[in-house]
Every structure is written in C-alpha cells, then in structure tokens.
Amino acid sequence: MVKVYSITQCPWCDKVKKYLKSKNVAFEEHNIEENEADREACYKLTGDLVVPITTVNDKDYVLSFDKEKLDAMLGL
Amino acid sequence: MGIYDFTVKTSKGEEKSLSDYKGKVLLIVNTASKCGFTPQFKELQDLYMKYKDKGLEILGFPCNQFAEQDPGTNEEVQQFCRLNYGVTFQIFEKGDVRDETAQPLFKYLVSQKGFEGFDANHPITEKLVAALKENFPHFLEGDDIKWNFTKFLIDREGNVVARFEPTTVPSAIAADIEKLL
C-alpha cells in the first residue's frame, strides 16, 4: 500500500494526494502532526520531519510534490 | 525578574509559565513559518531528539516580523513543509520578538544578552547584512532580534548564558548545550 506522510495545512501534501487520486493510485494518509507512531515512522524512514513523503515499500520514498519522481517510483 | 517569571501562550492559546521548565536547559528560538525555506528547523529537531532525555527543552516562538524566511534565502523555492510545532519540541503562539511590540520575554532576553555581531564566517552573513541594510536598516541597530533563528541558551538555574545569532547554525552549539546538561 502506498503511504503519504503529511501534516495539516500543507499545500504540497494536498497536491500529492490530488495527483495520486487523479491517477487512481490507492494510498493511506498518515498525518505525522496528529499521530506519534506515524511521526516516529517518518523520522525513521527519512531522518527528518518534512512532508509530503510518499513511499511504496517503507524504504524508497519521494519528498515533496515531484511528479517525475513519483511517476518513476509508482511506475506511472 | 527572572526567566521563570514569564508566562507565554502555547500554539493552542493556553497560558504556560516558564517556571514549568525549572531545572531544564532551555534553548529559546524565534522561528519562521513551517512552509518557508527553514533548514535550521531540522537541526533544532536533531538537537532536541539527541538531548531531550538529558534535560534539554527547545522553545520555539514563531514570528512574522522577518518576512517568514530563513536569512538570505529569498530566492529559494521549495515544495515541502516541515512539522515544527506542538508535538516534537514546543512551539508557542505567533508573536512579535522585536521593537516596541515585542513580547516581554524577548525584551528580557535581549536585555540579558545583547547583540555582539554575526558570525563572519557563515556563508549567509554577507547576504543577510545586505538584505537588512536594504529593507530593514533599523534592525541592525541596538540589541533587538535581528532575524529568524536567534537562539538563547538558558542554564538549569534560569540564567541566560549565551545568545547565538541566526548565522550560528544549531548544530554548532551542541557543545555549549552539552556543557550545561
């Protein structure tokens, strides 16, 4: 399952979510502002707390709304 | 009047007395917004993760008197936001930190530790000074906060022991923090 780490009021997170929806990519949203376990997981994955982070396998991830990199990772 | 006599407001609008932090080492920082180009947030976060269990608390005070930017980076474009409040280290209500409208806490801090110049070796110092001269020349005068990410280090007894300008990155003050822990 594709995961998107986000925070509240983050225009770039909204863009990623909209883009994934437009491509019919199913994803789970994990708000790292509201959930401590998600925050720890995001920090463990990326060594930082910036969002949006999109990951397919909890190993490879794309930071920010970067269409090219998202397409490559998701095979779009 | 000491640091523990001040009361500030959390990002949720609740009153918080700084006496709640008695016995902790404090780093008080005026921060920028969460979606600006603000690399110092990452280093502050790293410091907090590293030292929170030894008694460090970082208190961030967002302020929009400085165009919500890290110094000298107006031209940078970035497309992400940083988690920076409420949950990791403590972020308080947005408010002024300089001039007449400054929060009392910051008037106190700058009275304890005045401005002693920027770090001449930092790559953005020149840009920052040029930008200040052009846009906010009076910011360069006196002891008030010059820009985002001015840092005040407080020891476990509540003494303001050091002030670091925006041109000193958080990782560079780790040794000063360790001495107090």
Side-chain angles (χ1 to χ4, degrees):
Chain A
M1 177 60 100
V2 174
K3 285 181 193 163
V4 177
Y5 290 102
S6 67
I7 57 175
T8 321
Q9 291 184 334
C10 162
W12 306 110
C13 304
D14 295 340
K15 278 180 194 280
V16 165
K17 288 184 281 178
K18 242 185 217 166
Y19 183 67
L20 294 180
K21 275 181 197 154
S22 78
K23 295 286 182 186
N24 291 317
V25 175
F27 65 92
E28 290 172 346
E29 183 174 4
H30 294 267
N31 187 319
I32 66 168
E33 198 170 338
E34 289 170 358
N35 185 304
E36 193 172 344
D38 287 335
R39 189 158 61 240
E40 296 290 333
C42 181
Y43 192 79
K44 201 175 157 201
L45 175 68
T46 65
D48 202 353
L49 291 170
V50 291
V51 291
I53 294 287
T54 308
T55 178
V56 283
N57 53 8
D58 296 321
K59 196 166 75 109
D60 305 308
Y61 64 88
V62 172
L63 166 64
S64 83
F65 176 56
D66 186 328
K67 260 190 215 175
E68 261 179 45
K69 285 186 185 163
L70 282 170
D71 287 353
M73 185 176 74
L74 298 166
L76 294 173
Chain B
M1 194 77 177
I3 195 90
Y4 301 132
D5 296 320
F6 290 91
T7 299
V8 291
K9 277 200 173 152
T10 68
S11 54
K12 289 176 181 147
E14 291 154 0
E15 302 259 322
K16 176 90 174 160
S17 167
L18 291 190
S19 63
D20 292 350
Y21 295 104
K22 265 183 192 168
K24 299 270 192 183
V25 172
L26 301 179
L27 192 66
I28 298 179
V29 190
N30 64 302
T31 61
S33 83
K34 62 179 177 175
C35 293
F37 184 74
T38 53
Q40 294 206 11
F41 266 123
K42 161 138 177 65
E43 292 197 7
L44 287 172
Q45 181 69 47
D46 289 343
L47 283 179
Y48 183 63
M49 293 296 218
K50 191 169 174 190
Y51 296 121
K52 63 178 177 176
D53 293 336
K54 292 180 181 162
L56 175 70
E57 291 290 340
I58 298 180
L59 313 184
F61 290 83
C63 171
N64 56 13
Q65 286 178 296
F66 308 99
E68 303 220 342
Q69 292 284 345
D70 217 26
T73 54
N74 296 13
E75 71 277 18
E76 298 284 351
V77 178
Q78 59 131 41
Q79 303 199 330
F80 54 84
C81 301
R82 177 169 296 283
L83 177 64
N84 70 8
Y85 60 90
V87 280
T88 48
F89 59 86
Q90 181 72 52
I91 298 283
F92 292 90
E93 194 169 75
K94 191 179 273 186
D96 288 354
V97 300
R98 60 162 293 123
D99 300 320
E100 279 308 300
T101 52
Q103 302 170 68
L105 171 64
F106 280 86
K107 288 186 176 172
Y108 172 77
L109 289 170
V110 303
S111 77
Q112 297 294 301
K113 287 286 166 192
F115 179 62
E116 291 178 357
F118 296 114
D119 177 352
N121 297 318
H122 193 286
I124 62 162
T125 297
E126 207 177 313
K127 271 178 163 173
L128 175 60
V129 172
L132 283 171
K133 271 187 187 152
E134 193 183 328
N135 302 311
F136 310 98
H138 79 283
F139 281 19
L140 286 165
E141 296 161 17
D143 285 329
D144 264 356
I145 305 279
K146 304 301 170 201
W147 203 256
N148 292 322
F149 296 105
T150 304
K151 298 159 279 286
F152 293 89
L153 187 59
I154 322 292
D155 71 13
R156 290 188 193 269
E157 282 78 50
N159 303 304
V160 185
V161 295
R163 165 174 173 164
F164 304 94
E165 296 303 324
T167 47
T168 301
V169 294
S171 55
I173 61 183
D176 297 272
I177 292 172
E178 276 182 27
K179 261 185 251 165
L180 299 180
L181 287 172

